[in-house]
Amino acid sequence: MTKLNASRREFLRFSTALGVAGAAGSASLPFAINLATMGSAAAQTSSGGYKALVCLFLYGANDHANTVLATDSTSWTQYTTVRTTNEAGSIALPAVGTNGGVLPISPTTSQAGRSFALHPQLGPLKSLFDNGRAAILSNVGPLIVPTTLAQYKAGSVPLPPKLFSHNDQQSLWQAYAPEGAAYGWGGRMGDMLASSNAYPVFTAISTSGNAVFLAGRNINQYQVSASGAVPIGGLTGTLFGSSTAGNPLKNIIASDSANLFQKEHAAVTNRSINAQSLLSPAMAPAGATGVPNPTQYTNPNNGNLANNGLASQLQTIARIIAGRSALGAQRQVFFVSLGGFDTHDFQRTAHADLMARLAHAINYFDGVLGNLQGTDLRKQVTLFTASDFGRTFTSNGDGTDHGWGSHHFIVGGAVKGNNIYGDFPVTGLKHSLDVGSGSLLPQISVDQYGATLANWFGLSTSQINDIFPNITNFSNRNLGFLA
């Protein structure tokens, strides 16, 4: 009954804010919210309680073994032996200490005399790690229960469905079920916390198209472009040379009707018009007067400067975060992505470029949050990476194949950084976590990863149990990487 009442209150609040209930298409009921009169919403957020989560999804499956590396003598010998095939098809990175080689890091917690490094193109991310604003989560992936290699081979415990499949594992990471899942854990967190926002429509926002991660049972994800809220063309400005033609166009596309399909279409259209009208003026401008434009990054393969689309996505998120008070937002979940990680071929060059873009964009976002309109918001915003799965440790001659467990980054001012969380797996083949070709059996579940983020985000134990269906199977519900 408590959940039902909360959902009903949220629906009524949403309907009132966006004029959905009975107001669709009515010229006598224009968008009723004026930013200048939102004093109560702004006051609600001024207490400093704002928090945001940013999921950065690496589509195609990032090669974790070339992202975070063990460099102690035993590990490095295995790495160079297994990963080097021939000069043309080698996927091994340059030797430690050579020009352009891997970048040593020194986690605060030692792991049995082992040493570690990052990919040569992750220099900005290494700086964040060294400065305590980035951490690494080792060998995480979908699990239903804690699983040993013997149990995996025997099939004696329940296993995640459709392992090693791109689409299904993308969905499993984002929504606990294979392709076709209806709700994601980002959206479900939004369901739980949307009532703390003046306008629930701005709780879950994607700059990367439709993402099941942000799909909730009650809230709908709001999709924006790199330039911000997406307007319906022709409703503002001139249309066919007329400054007034937008009004009849709106009446046509958003007018109410007795036909149920037309009625629903009109309601959706009105929500789109109203939300865009609210978000656009609330967002900080891009450029010198608002959120600085990202610089170009250097492509490591040719030395040329190029635009970074991921940095542009994160700029859009920063612009929305800058408008949090005007929007009355207390909790927001964002989704951005970077594609191209399906490195079956040309891995050494393709992955280097991806790592350069990843580090450049995250470093840009950290810098922007450090002085967003004169305020340091880094402790209030946590970015974390996710991906389809890890990749095999062995080479196919020019790249790597589908794996399971992988390493991921968590970045932000609330992160207990400069550390690797979880036992770093053995480097090589035929060890106790090798399910084949060096593909890692995860030792940390996505549920544990998400539950730790959700705990920082302000969800209760019962809410976390509701969102993450397998979390009660694991004894460690909080991995400790967030303050």
Side-chain angles (χ1 to χ4, degrees), residues 75-89:
S75 300
W76 193 253
T77 298
Q78 284 293 311
Y79 176 84
T80 54
T81 300
V82 177
R83 285 222 140 187
T84 301
T85 54
N86 56 63
E87 187 174 350

Side-chain angles (χ1 to χ4, degrees), residues 169-422:
Q169 294 306 299
Q170 288 167 9
S171 181
L172 206 65
W173 259 90
Q174 297 180 34
Y176 357 98
E179 187 174 20
Y183 311 116
W185 50 275
R188 293 291 291 118
M189 285 196 285
D191 285 340
M192 301 290 187
L193 297 172
S195 60
S196 66
N197 294 334
Y199 307 103
V201 69
F202 302 123
T203 300
I205 300 177
S206 172
T207 66
S208 187
N210 187 52
V212 69
F213 174 75
L214 292 181
R217 292 176 182 166
N218 301 314
I219 64 166
N220 296 314
Q221 60 184 293
Y222 188 76
Q223 299 175 33
V224 298
S225 69
S227 58
V230 181
I232 296 177
L235 295 185
T236 59
T238 60
L239 178 63
F240 302 120
S242 169
S243 60
T244 60
N247 291 328
L249 174 62
K250 180 178 178 181
N251 290 334
I252 292 171
I253 66 174
S255 59
D256 203 356
S257 171
N259 181 284
L260 293 179
F261 289 104
Q262 292 178 345
K263 189 180 188 71
E264 179 62 21
H265 179 269
V268 171
T269 301
N270 268 285
R271 287 199 297 268
S272 175
I273 294 170
N274 295 338
Q276 190 270 334
S277 298
L278 178 60
L279 180 59
S280 290
M283 290 178 64
T289 59
V291 177
N293 293 321
T295 61
Q296 293 182 309
Y297 83 104
T298 301
N299 185 319
N301 298 316
N302 55 28
N304 294 335
L305 292 173
N307 294 329
N308 188 347
L310 177 59
S312 296
Q313 291 182 60
L314 291 171
Q315 180 190 33
T316 300
I317 287 178
R319 294 174 59 203
I320 295 171
I321 291 175
R324 65 199 180 283
S325 295
L327 295 173
Q330 288 276 24
R331 293 291 184 273
Q332 291 182 293
V333 186
F334 296 95
F335 184 88
V336 300
S337 71
L338 178 63
F341 285 90
D342 195 12
T343 49
H344 286 283
D345 301 301
F346 310 110
Q347 176 167 308
R348 190 163 173 175
T349 53
H351 194 247
D353 183 51
L354 290 166
M355 292 291 97
R357 283 191 268 168
L358 178 70
H360 170 265
I362 292 176
N363 187 60
Y364 161 77
F365 191 55
D366 174 82
V368 166
L369 291 176
N371 186 25
L372 190 60
Q373 296 183 327
T375 303
D376 186 346
L377 287 178
R378 286 179 292 201
K379 288 186 177 180
Q380 294 166 263
V381 181
T382 297
L383 178 148
F384 64 97
T385 65
S387 192
D388 316 17
F389 37 70
R391 304 193 74 85
T392 57
F393 191 67
T394 57
S395 170
N396 62 17
D398 201 22
T400 51
D401 289 303
H402 299 186
W404 190 354
S406 57
H407 314 316
H408 285 286
F409 294 105
I410 310 100
V411 182
V415 173
K416 296 179 183 177
N418 195 27
N419 214 355
I420 296 176
Y421 292 83

